Amino acid sequence: MFTQEQQIIEAKIKEFCAANDIPLAELKWQPIPFSGEWGFATSFFQTAANEARAGKGGKPVPQRAQEMAEQVKAQIGSVDGISRIDAVKGYLNLYFSTAAYASRVVDEVLASGLNFGRGAKKNERVMVEYAQPNTHHSFHIGHARNTILGEVLARLVEFAGFETIRASYPGDLGLGVITVMWIYDKLYKGQEPEGVHERGQWLAKLYVEATAMLEKKENETPEETAKREAYDAERREMYRKWDAGDEYVRNLWRETREWSLEELREVLKMLDVKMDVWFYESDVDEPSKVIVDELIARDIATDERPQGGAVIVKIDEKLGLTKEKYRTNVLLRKDGTTLYLTKDLALAKVKFEQHHVDRSIYVVDSRQALHLQQAFAILKLWGFPQSEKCYHLGYGFVSLPEGAMSARRGRVVLFKDVADEAVKRVLLVETEKSADIPIEERGKIAYQIGMGALVYSMLSVDNNKDIVFDINEALSFDGRTGPYIQNAYVRANSILKKSKVEESNGQKSRPSTLDLRL
């Protein structure tokens, strides 16, 4: 926006350095943190260091950098659009005239319209992986934080000019999945409710009930122990049959899995999230075992199964690190079963080779930081150049005032329940204050305001911080909230409409129909 002024200033700096035989380093500009004024700055530390290496200057680098900044300030003098110039601790700080800055921003916004700030097209394909709860459970508020962060990031990456692929990787394997299938088949087959959300939530309740049946109880009788052990044997036999490809068990798995996926798709629709690619843990389970064989053959992994151990990767050793950083990790248990890491490597291979992804972003909670760093390091050993552009966007844990959420205990806050409550609260307010608005229109407005409050409650907290979810605080319509921002947006559009300002395309400005949920 101030490119011309920057070029004038750079020319004066180069002129000063050339006249004084100073080996000028590349000028790197950075914005000054806003504090009542906007501006940008550059440092002379590298230039002072270059001069010292050339045997010139004769002063300590920090002192010489400050001296240069002061001399350059005097050389520049006044520049149109720049309100003041300061030389501080080796930095040259230039501040924009607020009036000039505001005028240029407004002009550019009017000229660019919805494309204001959009980045130029980049030659990189980015995949953002998020919105991936385990199946046979129900979508809760912790999943919502993951999904909202992932979608916002995907929109930012896309707007910055990158080709962006949205990907979901639901976990559809494991003993937890089999547990739900077992109790459904044993006690409840054919009794499932009709509604998409009702069915998904029902599966979560079955998991809680099954867990209670399978857990050892304090002071249980021999009869209770025998019954519990018999249940567990039935469950594990179903797992064995699933692994062996038993047709009945696999069909049961597909049917019940689809109920979870139907609910997930409905929730994503509520949040205006459209996935481009769906991966499933079950799809990469067998391919990941083949990958282990390849890593053993390439001497990246070590097979200790003949000695009764597992297949491992001594990551630090293979990278030649003398200090422990990534440690040693298991790729395959001694019984031949895979782990999350094994399947993450298989998924990465699919991303890079089939979807030609240049950069992969994983939206996963912060507790998985080491796990993902290990995966990225193994990908590097494996020879994938994209490993250098794998990034983990971590986020804090979502808990409840009474403690951590637990699907096993049934102590979770379901997203659909919170969304319904949000809309209900807005409708109550609207009924009192906007009775003249038609009921159908009222419902649409209530939905957008309610969802806006819920979404903003997840975005207003730093992603690295934990959230103690309080429904009353999340759905508050006062203070720093989503509804407050929505109200400001509507008012601004109303002002534009009344002003009859013409846009650059000749059309009158009017309130946008932009969905304010995200």
Side-chain angles (χ1 to χ4, degrees), residues 141-142 397-406 410-414 467-471:
I141 204 67
F397 196 55
V398 180
S399 62
L400 305 176
E402 58 268 31
M405 287 193 288
S406 171
R411 191 171 63 235
V412 295
V413 173
L414 298 179
I467 292 178
V468 178
F469 183 79
D470 183 308
I471 190 169

Side-chain angles (χ1 to χ4, degrees), residues 492-508:
N493 273 295
S494 179
I495 292 170
L496 289 174
K497 183 179 180 180
K498 291 176 181 178
S499 71
K500 296 182 172 57
V501 171
E502 297 286 335
E503 293 182 349
S504 57
N505 59 8
Q507 295 181 347
K508 290 182 178 179

Side-chain angles (χ1 to χ4, degrees), residues 177-383:
V177 168
I178 297 296
T179 299
V180 177
M181 291 167 54
W182 165 75
I183 191 172
Y184 169 72
D185 190 54
K186 184 177 182 66
L187 301 177
Y188 293 104
K189 191 169 184 183
Q191 300 178 38
E192 61 275 5
E194 287 297 321
V196 170
H197 293 287
E198 290 80 2
R199 228 174 11 228
Q201 294 174 12
W202 184 67
L203 288 178
K205 292 175 183 176
L206 293 191
Y207 181 59
V208 175
E209 183 178 342
T211 299
M213 293 169 65
L214 292 159
E215 278 190 341
K216 185 175 182 179
K217 298 170 184 62
E218 191 175 347
N219 301 321
E220 69 181 12
T221 65
E223 292 79 11
E224 288 172 333
T225 299
K227 189 176 184 180
R228 175 177 54 78
E229 290 177 348
Y231 287 159
D232 188 49
E234 291 174 3
R235 175 179 64 154
R236 293 187 182 277
E237 174 62 12
M238 179 174 277
Y239 202 174
R240 186 196 66 76
K241 287 182 176 180
W242 186 94
D243 204 41
D246 181 88
E247 184 178 356
Y248 176 82
V249 174
R250 284 294 178 109
N251 286 337
L252 184 69
W253 168 69
R254 292 187 190 94
E255 181 182 20
T256 51
R257 182 184 81 155
E258 183 58 25
W259 296 343
S260 291
L261 294 175
E262 283 177 343
E263 185 194 20
L264 174 57
R265 289 191 288 266
E266 280 299 309
V267 169
L268 295 184
K269 185 177 179 181
M270 291 172 68
L271 288 168
D272 194 25
V273 174
K274 301 176 182 67
M275 285 294 156
D276 300 306
V277 180
W278 290 84
F279 300 116
Y280 298 100
E281 191 179 350
S282 56
D283 290 340
V284 292
D285 186 44
E286 287 302 319
S288 68
K289 296 175 183 177
V290 177
I291 285 170
V292 172
D293 292 335
E294 180 184 339
L295 295 176
I296 293 170
R298 295 178 60 174
D299 195 32
I300 295 170
T302 304
D303 190 356
E304 296 185 345
R305 286 175 293 180
Q307 295 79 41
V311 178
I312 62 173
V313 179
K314 300 176 182 178
I315 305 174
D316 294 328
E317 179 184 305
K318 295 298 180 181
L319 287 172
L321 303 177
T322 55
K323 291 185 178 180
E324 183 181 84
K325 183 176 182 181
Y326 299 108
R327 308 177 190 174
T328 295
N329 212 329
V330 177
L331 285 186
L332 207 63
R333 297 184 185 95
K334 61 182 180 181
D335 63 1
T337 55
T338 60
L339 295 95
Y340 286 123
L341 176 63
T342 332
K343 286 170 281 200
D344 273 330
L345 295 176
L347 179 60
K349 188 173 190 289
V350 173
K351 289 180 180 181
F352 300 151
E353 294 184 348
Q354 294 184 22
H355 294 275
H356 309 292
V357 171
D358 301 298
R359 190 184 296 267
S360 184
I361 303 175
Y362 298 71
V363 184
V364 181
D365 78 71
S366 298
R367 295 170 297 177
Q368 303 302 318
L370 177 60
H371 163 85
L372 287 170
Q373 291 305 313
Q374 290 171 329
F376 302 160
I378 295 173
L379 289 171
K380 181 178 181 179
L381 288 168
W382 198 0

